[in-house]
Each structure stands twice: as structure tokens, then as C-alpha cells.
């Protein structure tokens, strides 16, 4: 595996740690910014909206640049957003910071995953994506709980400063470890890049990704308040539980990465079915610690870990260019938007168990989008 793929994982780790930090510090940030927990939840939604809406436009603006140059520009924009978050004096400033970092993060994913495809053979692209996506999994294993721990001990601003320092390290590693390559793409120009989105098979694959991530994030976005206020764990115990969740995502990502190239649709169907079971179990046994934690870990095993299979399916249905990969990331973050925002509404209306039921419903809908092509493929 090229060294650059591992370097990209470090950049993704920094981006994901920034994305998830709000989920780990919701009560503290609510107190510090003098707003409610659901309002802090909307910061997760704002980050996702910025990714989905702004990321593809930024990718288009950078398409003619060599990938390493594009990545360095994205690091600079992302760094600016994190500094603004660390120094935010009110909710409006924090909201602006999350929008800036969201746009840069989305474009980084698109350019980075496209570079993975550019540097590896087609038959191992799923495995390369899994290696790069270990940055996402390690963001939940290490980045999220460590930033939560830093935020709890030294204040939530310290968590954003820590992410800022990590971003500088990742940018330096990218400059040193990613080779100079030509601009990625299919070679037919912008119109040809856009034309692939007319394919029904690609649109179906994109919708599946939205539902997979939406199902997961409807629960994940509210793990902290669910575990403390319903399950009964102390605030100090939550970082350890999030580390365990992150470890589950690393294991799941590794397994999916090994299987994604050969068994793309069966992996997606199995993951959605298991996620449906775990989300339902978590909703039913939220107030019983042992089964609640077991179901939470199960969500970690089969939720965001579907990324290698999702990317493989989308690239086969479209292409491996940066625009397709960025738009795919936009559909993924559309799932975050739906899951986190509807989860906040559901909490206000039905309580903290409601996002788990919402996630189960989305997993069932996702299974319905995978079943027809899977049945056709087995005939």
C-alpha cells in the first residue's frame, strides 16, 4: 500500500476529530455558549450541511490543481475554521466556524479518496479506502474520546486548540509524504464528470449511503446525553465508552475493507440488517447498562464501517474522480443532516430514546435500497 494512503488517513483523522468533537462535548458547549443541548446538536447539522452543499463546489474549484496542492489549500481553510471555533465568543461565531470546517472537510474527503484510487490498482481500491478511512475510525477511537477528555478537564476551547495543532502536523506530513501527481479525473472535462450522475444505478448507490450513515448518526450524535441521562453512566465514564465504540469501528472497517472489493452488495446488506438489530436493541434496553453498551458497540461494528463498500459501489457505478467522490461524501453527510437534525426534533418531542428508533427506521429503508440489486446479482 503506498505511503501516501496512510498519510491521507492522518489528514482524515484530524478532520473527523473536529467533526465529532461537538458530539463529545455537548453539555459543556451548551453551558459555555449559553444555549441548549439540542442547539449544540444543530452545530453537527450545520457542519454536515456545509459539507453536503459547499464541498462539491470547492472540489470543482480545485479540480485542475495537482492533488497535493489541493490538499494543502484545504488544510489552510480547515485550520482557519478551527481557530475560529477555539476563539468563538458566541453561538453565531461557532456556527460560522463549523460551516468553514465542514466545507473544507468534505472537499478533503473527495480529493483524498480520489487520490487513493489514482495511486492503487482497481482490484485493491476498497482496501486502500479502508486504510484511508481508518482515519475516520481512529477519529472515533482516539480523537473523539481524547478531545472529550481534554474538553472536560481544560474546557471545550482546549479541545479545538488541540485539533488545530493536529491539523498542522497532518498538513506537514502530507507535504512530505504525498507525491506530486497530475490532477485527477476521468479526462473528459467538467460536463463529462457531471454526466455520470444521470445513471440510475449511481443514484441508488448514493441513496443507500445516505441511509446507512443517517441511521448511524441519528444515534451517535446523542450518545453522550443518552448514556448519561438514560442509561445512567457518569460523565467521566463516557470517554471510555466512546473509546470502546471507536475500537469497534476500527475492527469493522478492517473487515469490510477486506471484503468490499469482492462482496460489495452482500456486505452492505448484512451491515444494514445488523445495524437495524442493534439500533432496535439499544432503543429497547437503553436504561439497562450491559445490553445498551453491547448494542452501542454493535452500531460501531456495522455503521460508518460500511464506507469502503459504499465507496467501491459508487465508484463502480460512476467513476473514481474527485467530483464523484465528493458528491458521494455529500450524500453521506446528507445522512448526518437527516439523522442529527431529526434526532434533535425527536428528542424534543419524545425523549432521548427517539433518535435510536429513527435510526432503526432508516436502516430498514436502506436495506430496501440494497435488496433489489442484490437479488438481481444473485440470479
Amino acid at each position: 500500500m503506498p505511503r501516501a494512503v496512510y498519510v491521507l488517513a492522518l489528514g482524515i483523522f484530524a478532520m473527523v476529530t473536529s467533526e465529532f468533537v461537538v458530539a463529545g462535548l455537548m453539555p459543556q458547549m451548551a453551558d459555555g455558549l449559553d444555549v441548549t443541548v439540542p442547539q449544540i446538536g444543530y452545530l453537527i447539522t450545520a457542519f454536515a450541511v456545509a459539507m453536503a452543499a459547499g464541498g462539491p463546489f470547492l472540489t470543482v474549484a480545485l479540480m485542475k490543481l495537482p492533488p497535493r496542492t489541493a490538499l494543502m489549500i484545504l488544510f489552510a481553510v480547515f485550520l482557519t475554521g478551527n481557530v475560529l471555533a477555539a476563539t468563538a465568543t458566541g453561538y453565531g461565531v461557532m456556527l460560522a466556524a463549523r460551516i468553514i470546517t465542514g466545507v473544507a472537510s468534505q472537499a478533503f474527503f473527495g480529493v483524498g479518496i480520489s487520490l487513493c484510487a489514482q495511486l492503487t490498482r482497481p482490484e485493491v481500491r476498497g482496501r486502500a479506502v479502508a486504510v484511508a478511512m481508518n482515519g475516520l475510525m481512529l477519529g472515533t477511537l482516539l480523537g473523539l474520546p481524547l478531545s472529550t477528555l481534554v474538553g472536560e478537564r481544560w474546557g471545550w476551547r482546549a479541545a479545538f486548540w488541540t485539533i488545530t495543532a493536529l491539523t498542522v502536523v497532518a498538513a506537514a506530513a502530507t507535504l512530505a509524504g504525498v507525491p506530486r501527481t497530475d490532477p485527477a479525473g476521468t479526462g473528459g472535462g467538467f460536463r463529462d464528470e457531471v454526466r455520470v450522475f444521470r445513471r440510475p444505478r449511481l443514484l441508488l448507490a448514493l441513496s443507500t449511503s445516505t441511509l446507512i450513515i443517517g441511521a448511524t448518526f441519528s444515534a451517535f450524535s446523542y450518545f453522550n446525553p443518552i448514556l448519561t441521562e438514560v442509561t445512567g453512566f457518569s460523565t467521566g465514564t463516557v470517554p471510555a465508552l466512546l473509546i470502546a465504540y471507536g475500537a469497534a469501528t476500527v475492527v469493522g472497517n478492517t473487515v469490510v475493507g477486506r471484503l468490499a472489493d469482492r462482496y460489495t452488495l452482500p456486505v452492505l446488506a448484512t451491515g444494514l440488517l445488523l445495524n437495524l438489530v442493534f439500533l432496535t436493541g439499544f432503543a429497547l434496553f437503553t436504561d439497562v447498562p450491559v445490553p445498551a453498551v453491547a448494542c452501542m458497540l454493535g452500531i460501531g461494528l456495522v455503521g460508518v464501517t460500511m464506507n469502503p463498500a459504499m465507496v467501491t459501489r459508487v465508484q463502480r457505478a460512476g467513476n473514481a474522480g474527485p467530483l464523484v467522490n465528493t458528491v458521494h461524501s455529500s450524500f453521506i453527510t446528507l445522512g448526518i443532516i437527516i439523522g442529527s437534525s431529526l434526532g434533535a426534533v425527536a428528542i424534543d418531542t419524545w425523549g432521548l430514546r427517539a433518535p435510536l428508533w429513527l435510526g432503526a427506521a432508516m436502516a430498514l429503508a436502506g436495506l430496501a435500497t440494497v435488496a433489489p440489486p442484490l437479488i438481481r446479482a444473485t440470479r
Side-chain angles (χ1 to χ4, degrees):
M1 196 64 62
R3 181 179 61 175
V5 175
Y6 295 93
V7 172
L8 290 170
L10 179 60
I12 291 173
F13 174 77
M15 306 265 168
V16 169
T17 301
S18 179
E19 178 183 358
F20 289 171
V21 66
V22 172
L25 296 172
M26 293 178 79
Q28 297 89 331
M29 291 183 66
D31 289 340
L33 295 172
D34 195 25
V35 295
T36 65
V37 167
Q39 283 178 292
I40 296 299
Y42 288 130
L43 290 176
I44 300 173
T45 305
F47 192 100
V49 170
M51 290 179 74
F57 291 101
L58 186 53
T59 299
V60 169
L62 299 174
M63 278 180 63
K64 294 184 179 180
L65 296 177
R68 189 175 74 170
T69 302
L71 292 174
M72 296 309 296
I73 292 172
L74 293 171
F75 271 125
V77 176
F78 183 78
L79 186 66
T80 300
N82 268 293
V83 171
L84 189 61
T87 58
T89 55
Y91 187 80
V93 176
M94 177 58 74
L95 183 61
R98 299 305 287 169
I99 290 172
I100 292 170
T101 50
V103 171
S105 178
Q106 183 78 318
F108 188 95
F109 271 78
V111 174
I113 296 303
S114 179
L115 183 58
C116 283
Q118 194 175 355
L119 295 173
T120 55
R121 302 186 310 276
E123 63 269 20
V124 295
R125 283 179 180 172
R127 189 175 301 181
V129 169
V131 171
M133 282 297 156
N134 267 331
L136 188 156
M137 310 311 157
L138 290 173
T140 56
L141 173 62
L142 300 175
L144 174 58
L146 289 178
S147 62
T148 301
L149 185 62
V150 169
E152 289 177 348
R153 293 197 175 186
W154 293 288
W156 59 267
R157 295 182 189 277
F160 282 99
W161 282 120
T162 301
I163 294 167
T164 298
L166 176 63
T167 302
V168 173
V169 172
T174 300
L175 192 61
V178 173
R180 293 179 179 273
T181 57
D182 294 329
T186 57
F190 175 71
R191 291 185 179 180
D192 289 336
E193 289 280 325
V194 172
R195 193 172 292 123
V196 299
F197 294 103
R198 298 177 181 176
R199 300 175 185 174
R201 193 161 63 105
L202 176 57
L203 295 177
L204 184 63
L206 293 172
S207 67
T208 301
S209 296
T210 297
L211 291 165
I212 289 172
I213 300 303
T216 303
F217 267 80
S218 64
F220 176 79
S221 299
Y222 301 98
F223 274 172
N224 193 323
I226 289 172
L227 292 170
T228 56
E229 298 181 29
V230 182
T231 313
F233 288 105
S234 66
T235 303
T237 304
V238 171
L241 294 175
L242 293 176
I243 288 174
Y245 174 88
T249 67
V250 172
V251 173
N253 183 66
T254 301
V255 173
V256 172
R258 294 284 180 178
L259 301 174
D261 292 304
R262 293 184 61 188
Y263 307 105
T264 308
L265 287 174
V267 166
L268 290 172
T270 302
L272 279 162
L273 180 61
L274 289 174
N275 211 12
L276 171 61
V277 171
F278 291 131
L279 285 162
T280 302
F282 200 176
L284 291 172
F285 301 105
T286 316
D287 56 348
V288 186
V290 173
V293 171
C295 289
M296 183 191 76
L297 296 180
I299 295 168
L301 282 171
V302 298
V304 295
T305 58
M306 293 296 110
N307 262 295
M310 287 154 47
V311 169
T312 300
R313 184 185 180 196
V314 165
Q315 288 184 351
R316 288 173 180 171
N319 60 51
L323 185 57
V324 167
N325 283 297
T326 302
V327 170
H328 180 214
S329 293
S330 292
F331 273 80
I332 287 173
T333 52
L334 178 60
I336 300 175
I337 295 168
I338 295 171
S340 61
S341 60
L342 292 186
V345 173
I347 289 173
D348 285 338
T349 307
W350 294 291
L352 284 166
R353 293 176 190 255
L356 303 173
W357 288 115
L358 172 64
M362 294 187 70
L364 183 61
L367 195 58
T369 68
V370 173
L374 179 60
I375 293 172
R376 287 196 297 268
T378 55
R379 286 176 178 173

